[in-house]
Amino acid sequence: MRIKSRISLSVIHIVLLLSSIACIIPIALVLTASFTNENTILTKGYSLFPSAITLEAYRFVFKNPEQIINSYVVTIFVTVTGTLLSIMITAMVAYVICRKDFFLANKISFFIFFTLLFSGGLVPWYILISRILHLKDTPFALILPYVVTPFLVLLMKGFMSTIPFALIESAKMDGASEYRVFFSIIIPVSKSGLATIALFSVLIYWNDYWLSLLFIDTGKYVSLQLLLYRIMSNIDFLNSALAVANTSNIVLPSQSARFALAVVAAGPMLFIFPFFQRFFVKGITVGSIKG
C-alpha cells in the first residue's frame, strides 16, 4: 500500500509540475519576445531563447514616459480606491442579505440577481454618469460603476452564510450593536471571502479601458490600459502608412511592442496575485457552495 501511495503521489506531482510548466512557458515567451529584435521575430519567429536581444520595443513604448507614468498613477489610484470601496460596500450589502432575520433579504437578493440578467442599457447609464452625477473627465467616473458588482455581492453572501447565526446572537446578547457585530466579528472571520472579492476587484479595475474610453476626454485621467491600446493603434497606423509609402528600410517594433505592452500592463498583477492566492481558493469555493 505504501508503494502504491508513493507511486500515486509521484504521478500527481509530475502532473502538477507539467501543468505548472505549461502555465509558465507562455509567460516566459511573452517576456522574451518583448526583448527580441523585430527582424528576428519576422524571420525566425518566436523563441524562448532569442539570438538577438534588444530594448527597442521598450524604448518605443516609453518614448513619452510622462504620459505612461501619469496613466500608471491614475490606474493605481483608481484600483486602490475602487477596491477598498468595493470591499466595504460589497461586504455590507452581502451581510444584510445573508441575515435570516431581515425580512427584505430575499427580495433584495432577487433584485441583485436580476441585475445580472438585465441592465438599464448603455445610454441611460452614460447619461447617469455624465449628465446627472457630473463625473465625466474625473477619476470617479472610473471608480463608481464597478464599486458594486452583483456577482461579487452574491459570492460574498454565500461566504457569509456559512458563519453561524448563533455567533451573531451571542454578541447581541452581550450588548454589541449591529456595527460592532459587523466590524468586530463578521469582518475578521470573513478574511478569505474579502480577499477573494478584493482580487476580483483589483483585476476589474486594473484591466478596464472601457470606462476611460467612454468618460475621459482629456489625457490627464487616461487609464493605463487605454493608453497602451492607443500606442498599439498608433504602431499599426504607422506600419500601414510605411507599407503604402514603400519604405521597407524602416521597421517599427510592431510584434515585439505588443509583448512589451503586455508586460507593462500585466506585470504588476503577477506580483499582486501571490498575496491573495492562499485566500482565493477557499473564498471562492465556500462562497459558491452556499447561497
Side-chain angles (χ1 to χ4, degrees):
M1 293 298 293
R2 291 183 178 179
I3 296 177
K4 290 183 179 180
S5 62
R6 289 180 180 178
I7 294 175
S8 301
L9 191 60
S10 300
V11 171
I12 293 174
H13 287 168
I14 292 173
V15 172
L16 292 177
L17 178 62
L18 294 177
S19 300
S20 301
I21 294 174
C23 294
I24 292 174
I25 287 178
I27 299 176
L29 184 62
V30 170
L31 186 61
T32 56
S34 67
F35 290 100
T36 305
N37 184 272
E38 184 72 15
N39 290 326
T40 303
I41 294 178
L42 295 176
T43 56
K44 299 181 179 179
Y46 304 106
S47 174
L48 289 174
F49 306 99
S51 56
I53 297 177
T54 178
L55 296 175
E56 182 182 1
Y58 288 95
R59 292 193 189 99
F60 188 87
V61 172
F62 288 98
K63 191 172 182 179
N64 185 11
E66 293 81 9
Q67 185 62 55
I68 293 261
I69 293 173
N70 180 75
S71 296
Y72 250 113
V73 172
V74 170
T75 301
I76 291 173
F77 171 77
V78 168
T79 301
V80 173
T81 306
T83 300
L84 292 177
L85 288 175
S86 179
I87 291 172
M88 184 56 61
I89 296 177
T90 300
M92 288 180 175
V93 176
Y95 173 65
V96 170
I97 62 178
C98 80
R99 288 283 296 266
K100 298 178 181 179
D101 56 338
F102 180 49
F103 70 102
L104 291 177
N106 292 332
K107 292 182 175 60
I108 297 177
S109 297
F110 175 78
F111 176 78
I112 294 173
F113 175 74
F114 185 82
T115 60
L116 285 173
L117 306 177
F118 303 96
S119 64
L122 178 60
V123 174
W125 179 58
Y126 182 84
I127 294 175
L128 172 66
I129 299 296
S130 60
R131 300 293 180 85
I132 298 178
L133 299 180
H134 301 288
L135 296 178
K136 191 172 182 179
D137 284 327
T138 67
F140 299 102
L142 308 179
I143 297 173
L144 184 62
Y146 295 144
V147 166
V148 178
T149 304
F151 169 73
L152 298 183
V153 173
L154 296 177
L155 183 66
M156 196 65 199
K157 177 201 172 186
F159 184 90
M160 288 185 172
S161 297
T162 63
I163 300 175
F165 187 69
L167 187 65
I168 300 173
E169 288 181 326
S170 62
K172 294 181 70 173
M173 289 177 63
D174 291 335
S177 63
E178 291 290 352
Y179 293 102
R180 183 69 180 274
V181 171
F182 178 74
F183 288 105
S184 299
I185 297 177
I186 302 300
I187 292 297
V189 301
S190 303
K191 290 181 180 179
S192 297
L194 294 174
T196 302
I197 64 173
L199 178 59
F200 276 115
S201 296
V202 167
L203 294 176
I204 290 172
Y205 280 110
W206 184 269
N207 293 323
D208 178 71
Y209 74 94
W210 176 243
L211 295 180
S212 185
L213 184 64
L214 284 178
F215 301 116
I216 304 300
D217 294 332
T218 61
K220 184 178 180 181
Y221 298 119
V222 171
S223 65
L224 178 66
Q225 303 296 337
L226 180 60
L227 177 65
L228 299 182
Y229 173 78
R230 288 177 177 176
I231 292 174
M232 198 65 251
S233 298
N234 292 336
I235 293 175
D236 292 338
F237 174 78
L238 291 174
N239 281 329
S240 300
L242 292 175
V244 172
N246 292 324
T247 54
S248 58
N249 58 330
I250 301 177
V251 180
L252 294 177
S254 176
Q255 300 300 321
S256 58
R258 293 177 188 273
F259 294 98
L261 291 173
V263 172
V264 172
M269 293 298 101
L270 296 177
F271 295 98
I272 291 176
F273 183 78
F275 293 100
F276 294 91
Q277 184 179 9
R278 64 193 184 102
F279 299 105
F280 180 73
V281 176
K282 179 181 178 182
I284 194 171
T285 302
V286 175
S288 63
I289 292 176
K290 301 189 82 174

